[in-house]
Amino acid sequence: MKKSKTARPAVRKKTYQIDDMMQDGRQAAIKALSALKVKKNAPEILFDGGPDMEQYNEQRKVFNRRFKYKPFCIARCETTEQVQEIVRIASATSIGITVRSGGHDHEGECMGTDIIAIDLSKMNKIEFEYDNQVLKVQPAARFNELTAALIEADVCIPHGTCGTVAVGGFSMGGGWGPWTRRHGMCCEHVIGATIVLGNGERQDIKEGDELLWAIKGGGGLSYGIVTELRIETFPMPVDAIKFSIEWDNRPGLEVLRIWESVISDVSERTYPLIGTNLKIMANPKAWDEYHDIETSIHICTFYGYFQGTEQHLKEWLAENFAPLPTDDIYIFPNPTPRNNNKLGAHMAGFGGWDRVIPKREQLKYQTPVLEAIAPDQDAPAPHKISSQLVKNNVDREERQKALIRSLESDLVSYDGIMAGISCYVTLGAISGHYYANYHERPYPYGSSFPYKDRLYTVQYQVWWNADPASIEKGKEHDVNRYTNYAMDWINYARRINTPYTSGSFISFKDNNVPVMEYFQQHFDQLKRIKDKYSEDPKNMLSSRTTIR
């Protein structure tokens, strides 16, 4: 009894000391940030519980409305020097940090609770070096403004499909998009950057630096905070068309086979197809004992970016997608041409490929699901995403069947669809003329993007309504009821496809995936680079999916 009594105060004292140290760090951070806030050319700092709570609450929102965080404060920086100041304070007080440029992180890791959120959304300046055709851009420049600015110079970069995504996180994750078959991932065109390390030091990095190799596909935040990128551009083609074709009465396996045969062909025959993505909707499981995967119907939408005239496109489709009907093609409207022939770099409607629900499906279920999203303005909504990449050294026929089989599950229900939950995969083509002719230069040139030899990404997606007012009356509670089933479907689908797939694409984060899965053969090298260059002994530059 005596020993027990004397032991208790010691335990209480130790707990108090830890709590006290944590409080001291917060108080020290408040003091330092408050002093910085009143200085000339200081960043805007919004504190939790401060006088600007309305603005704080608005700024802490992330694109994935499934997550709600309460950061210790939000520092809205406009210059590299401001970022340096915030990083130094965070390091000195041991308060964790997150970084947001566009806010589209699918796991919400651009925000957090009880951390300093470094918001770069004001760092969106765009400059063009005409002499060498290089774009100099800050990380929060979004594609709907960025590509419009580039067309003034008659050039482009490998941008993404969503106009509200910012270039920073996009390019550091690799940067898949509608130009990938022709020009590769965006990271392949990054030739320089400015980065703030974990101790607040600024570095300008260039080709041949290990640190630049790491940020070109090795994910964001791990190695420092990028405040500027230098990206090589390419000339715009004279004619380019965005189009889509929807098939709602054909076997999904048939559509997949034809689409895959086209993207794996890198001859002149498929050169006009600049980039493409195939979307296949998941179905409730068929209980019919005579159900045949060969004839299973799935709504499929083929999106493409094509170099050529509309007549050329129609002829090309008839030749390359037979026996699928290609008459019912939708040509997305284009903005006013820069001259008689040139089309805008980021065509109206080219954003939000993955989010536009097929019109026929909306009519079929008489439900809002997710309404077709306005061009280039992908709206925030709760969702869950995961990804894998197909292997090349497996039986193609079995791989294709496994993918279609994964899209049929009793975790997907008609009631869930009626409540506004949408489950599907999008297959983003990597294979094309760029990587077929790609010659990796000696390390550390090139990029750390590890999937240059893959055909395509498999992106498992579940989205549901964010606005209760848009849900069909009487179905409000069904969203919550069926959401977990739908997210379980993602794990189910991953398991079925795992024998034929591997890895995961960091731009489609899933916190259930081990970090090394994202970076594959480059994982150990990226760890070494972080340890050597990041100047981050406290591991402040860290999240669930960063190198650590």
Side-chain angles (χ1 to χ4, degrees):
M1 291 293 292
K2 235 178 186 180
K3 288 182 181 176
S4 175
K5 285 180 182 177
T6 56
R8 286 176 186 161
V11 173
R12 290 196 191 103
K13 186 176 181 181
K14 184 177 180 181
T15 304
Y16 169 77
Q17 287 175 338
I18 292 171
D19 291 343
D20 194 40
M21 282 164 43
M22 290 174 66
Q23 189 62 27
D24 285 347
R26 290 172 63 88
Q27 290 302 319
I30 290 172
K31 184 177 179 180
L33 290 165
S34 298
L36 175 64
K37 188 175 180 179
V38 298
K39 287 183 179 179
K40 187 179 180 180
N41 299 323
E44 179 185 16
I45 301 174
L46 307 172
F47 285 101
D48 181 14
D52 304 310
M53 277 303 291
E54 184 176 349
Q55 191 177 3
Y56 167 90
N57 284 329
E58 183 61 31
Q59 293 300 324
R60 69 187 176 93
K61 292 178 182 177
V62 293
F63 181 76
N64 189 346
R65 292 297 198 249
R66 186 160 63 95
F67 299 106
K68 295 176 175 63
Y69 296 110
K70 289 198 73 178
F72 169 65
C73 74
I74 303 171
R76 306 193 70 201
C77 299
E78 297 184 62
T79 66
T80 298
E81 291 73 25
Q82 290 177 0
V83 174
Q84 290 178 270
E85 289 284 352
I86 297 298
V87 170
R88 289 186 187 115
I89 291 172
S91 180
T93 58
S94 297
I95 303 290
I97 60 173
T98 59
V99 180
R100 174 174 66 184
S101 50
H104 277 251
D105 188 301
H106 292 295
E107 286 287 355
E109 291 186 341
C110 53
M111 192 56 62
T113 296
D114 291 333
I115 46 82
I116 297 174
I118 301 177
D119 182 355
L120 306 180
S121 59
K122 294 182 179 181
M123 297 184 68
N124 57 6
K125 291 179 183 175
I126 301 165
E127 296 179 38
F128 186 71
E129 299 175 358
Y130 286 90
D131 291 344
N132 53 14
Q133 303 288 287
V134 168
L135 169 70
K136 190 164 72 171
V137 62
Q138 290 184 317
R142 297 187 177 206
F143 288 127
N144 46 15
E145 293 96 9
L146 176 55
T147 51
L150 283 171
I151 194 56
E152 292 303 316
D154 205 19
V155 297
C156 200
I157 63 171
H159 58 72
T161 59
C162 175
T164 56
V165 166
V167 69
F170 173 81
S171 58
M172 286 185 278
W176 181 90
W179 297 97
T180 298
R181 295 194 79 244
R182 176 74 61 84
H183 293 285
M185 308 293 280
C186 186
C187 67
E188 310 291 1
H189 297 256
V190 175
I191 59 171
T194 297
I195 189 169
V196 175
L197 305 179
N199 60 359
E201 178 187 338
R202 166 188 171 145
Q203 279 198 9
D204 295 308
I205 52 179
K206 61 186 184 307
E207 280 197 295
D209 292 341
E210 289 185 313
L211 206 49
L212 186 70
W213 178 87
I215 70 167
K216 293 172 63 171
L221 183 62
S222 294
Y223 324 97
I225 300 171
V226 171
T227 59
E228 185 178 271
L229 291 164
R230 297 182 74 246
I231 307 173
E232 287 183 317
T233 64
F234 55 82
M236 279 292 294
V238 173
D239 294 299
I241 298 171
K242 180 202 172 180
F243 69 92
S244 71
I245 304 177
E246 181 184 309
W247 296 288
D248 66 349
N249 60 355
R250 308 291 294 202
L253 190 57
E254 178 189 24
V255 177
L256 174 60
R257 283 170 176 161
I258 295 174
W259 180 84
E260 190 174 314
S261 71
V262 169
I263 68 161
S264 59
D265 182 347
V266 291
S267 69
E268 286 299 310
R269 181 174 70 90
T270 65
Y271 187 75
L273 187 64
I274 296 169
T276 177
N277 151 327
L278 178 66
K279 177 177 178 180
I280 310 176
M281 303 300 296
N283 290 338
K285 187 172 183 178
W287 295 107
D288 184 351
E289 61 180 311
Y290 301 108
H291 177 71
D292 182 0
I293 200 72
E294 290 277 352
T295 58
S296 177
I297 305 297
H298 288 263
I299 298 175
C300 299
T301 309
F302 166 38
Y303 297 95
Y305 204 15
F306 186 84
Q307 181 176 341
T309 64
E310 185 173 334
Q311 181 60 34
H312 182 198
L313 169 61
K314 290 178 178 178
E315 293 170 357
W316 185 89
L317 288 169
E319 177 185 352
N320 290 280
F321 277 80
L324 295 173
T326 57
D327 296 333
D328 191 12
I329 178 175
Y330 179 70
I331 307 292
F332 284 76
N334 296 311
T336 303
R338 188 168 181 267
N339 56 45
N340 289 337
N341 295 317
K342 295 287 183 183
L343 298 178
H346 198 292
M347 300 185 176
F350 203 58
W353 266 2
D354 300 347
R355 293 282 305 283
V356 179
I357 300 301
K359 292 180 181 178
R360 290 191 184 94
E361 184 181 346
Q362 294 185 53
L363 294 172
K364 178 179 177 181
Y365 296 117
Q366 298 284 308
T367 175
V369 191
L370 289 167
E371 294 181 359
I373 291 171
D376 300 327
Q377 297 296 329
D378 215 351
H383 61 275
K384 173 69 178 178
I385 287 182
S386 191
S387 67
Q388 294 171 309
L389 293 98
V390 297
K391 295 177 182 176
N392 295 325
N393 57 346
V394 295
D395 185 292
R396 174 175 291 196
E397 189 73 15
E398 290 304 312
R399 185 190 71 212
Q400 292 169 342
K401 288 181 179 179
L403 179 58
I404 298 301
R405 195 173 293 114
S406 73
L407 290 165
E408 300 182 355
S409 170
D410 52 10
L411 295 168
V412 179
S413 68
Y414 287 111
D415 288 337
I417 293 170
M418 293 291 288
I421 298 171
S422 186
C423 304
Y424 54 91
V425 295
T426 50
L427 314 179
I430 295 174
S431 173
H433 295 82
Y434 183 87
Y435 286 117
N437 300 307
Y438 184 84
H439 298 288
E440 189 79 77
R441 290 178 290 168
Y443 172 85
Y445 291 90
S447 76
S448 57
F449 176 67
Y451 302 111
K452 299 177 177 72
D453 61 342
R454 303 298 183 95
L455 280 177
Y456 56 85
T457 65
V458 182
Q459 301 153 18
Y460 307 96
Q461 307 209 32
V462 174
W463 296 77
W464 58 96
N465 288 300
D467 180 12
S470 69
I471 301 172
E472 185 180 349
K473 189 173 181 181
K475 301 291 183 182
E476 298 89 344
H477 301 296
D478 286 349
V479 172
N480 293 333
R481 181 180 303 170
Y482 294 108
T483 294
N484 284 339
Y485 287 118
M487 289 194 289
D488 284 344
W489 163 74
I490 287 180
N491 293 328
Y492 163 81
R494 283 184 66 95
R495 284 197 304 273
I496 287 181
N497 287 299
T498 293
Y500 311 102
T501 57
S502 65
S504 196
F505 184 25
I506 190 64
S507 291
F508 290 89
K509 287 182 180 177
D510 176 358
N511 280 349
N512 295 322
V513 174
V515 175
M516 64 184 67
E517 282 292 302
Y518 291 111
F519 305 109
Q520 296 289 297
Q521 70 272 19
H522 295 150
F523 179 68
D524 290 338
Q525 187 78 294
L526 291 170
K527 282 186 65 177
R528 184 190 64 78
I529 291 172
K530 179 182 173 82
D531 291 341
K532 184 176 179 180
Y533 296 103
S534 69
E535 298 293 342
D536 185 29
K538 295 181 180 179
N539 202 30
M540 306 289 290
L541 305 169
S542 178
S543 71
R544 170 67 185 84
T545 52
T546 52
I547 301 291
R548 53 191 182 274

